[in-house]
Amino acid sequence: MSYIFQTCLLISTLSGNQQCTDSEILSRFEFQEVHMGVQWRIVLYATDKAIANKAAQNAFSRVKELNKILSDYDPESELNKLCRLSGPGKPIPVSPTLLTVLKNSQALSQETNGAFDVTISPVVRLWRRARRKKAMPTSQRLQEARSKVGYKLMKISQKNQTVELLKNEMRLDLGGIAKGYAADIALNVLKKNGVPRAMVDASGDIVLGDPPPGKCGWKIGIASSDDPKANQDRYLLLHNMAVATSGDALQHVDLDGKRYSHIVDPRTGLGLTDQSRVTVIAPDGTTADSLASAISVLGPEQGIKLLNQKPSTACLILRHEARHQDRQIVSYESHCFSCYELKQN
């Protein structure tokens, strides 16, 4: 079920691509639904309720369709069917959507030398079990799972539109990119329905269209602490861009006196032990979502170096580090992160 909230605004002058006359009225609408296991929120501006309802429902319907393709939880998703059917010498035809997401994933894997890797699922499943059971995976199980992980074990043929998994029992996990990609598609659906002034929030993976009426951008709040209860004290002002946050404040486990994140380093098979939160600004949700995951693994130095090579991207990293015999939150920012901030008076 969707929940709708409405506020009317009389527009005289507007920034952005859409021009309005003095007599044109845009209303603010908000919709919420659960998709991909998380709460999704769409905020949009439209001339009437019927247009807003149709645009939002079309966007949510498309997200629902994408989940049937990209989910690693749904046993009948296209992703899981690929994992069951493929193996050495068994390239499987895939849809343009799945091919696009896997190609983008593979490209980032190559850029990060495997710090981002969608073949990580066998190890991720071990750590999900570890968090439930509060017990470390055995070295034997970890070694077995790691033997099925490696982005070079996934062979993509653009020409034949196929994907081949080069080891048996490989499993793919698109958790680090799927929501950002789906949010991009949802925003495109809204635009095609005549609603360019919109925000799609996939539980922290946020994609932004044209700004709200009379505004220079969407005001996005972030906190300078990784405490889930911390107040937002910094603000971004963005339009036609995306922002995503990756962190482990709510998903981790303490084992043998050490804190392990739900975020797993594909190169070691171990949950990260460096508590951090990474916020990435990028031109689109696919890029922001996947870079936030990759930088969590790479750490500040390598992560910011990677980001500084990419146009229209920036990041903020909050990281717990030992300083003067105490653990403190240390902040790292890439070039130009502050360029996107709304300065408070």
Side-chain angles (χ1 to χ4, degrees), residues 99-112:
L99 190 73
T100 296
V101 175
L102 293 179
K103 278 180 57 187
N104 287 339
S105 301
Q106 197 80 322
L108 186 57
S109 294
Q110 292 168 352
E111 278 190 280
T112 60

Side-chain angles (χ1 to χ4, degrees), residues 13 25 34 42 59 70 81 93 98 104 158 171 188 199 201 219 223 227 241-242 245 278 286 297 300 309 339:
T13 59
I25 295 177
V34 175
I42 292 176
L70 306 175
K81 288 180 180 177
L98 184 54
N104 287 339
Q158 176 73 30
R171 293 291 181 269
N188 286 337
M199 174 186 77
D201 180 359
K219 184 179 178 181
D227 186 334
M241 297 190 77
T245 298
V278 177
T286 305
V297 174
Q309 299 170 0
C339 302

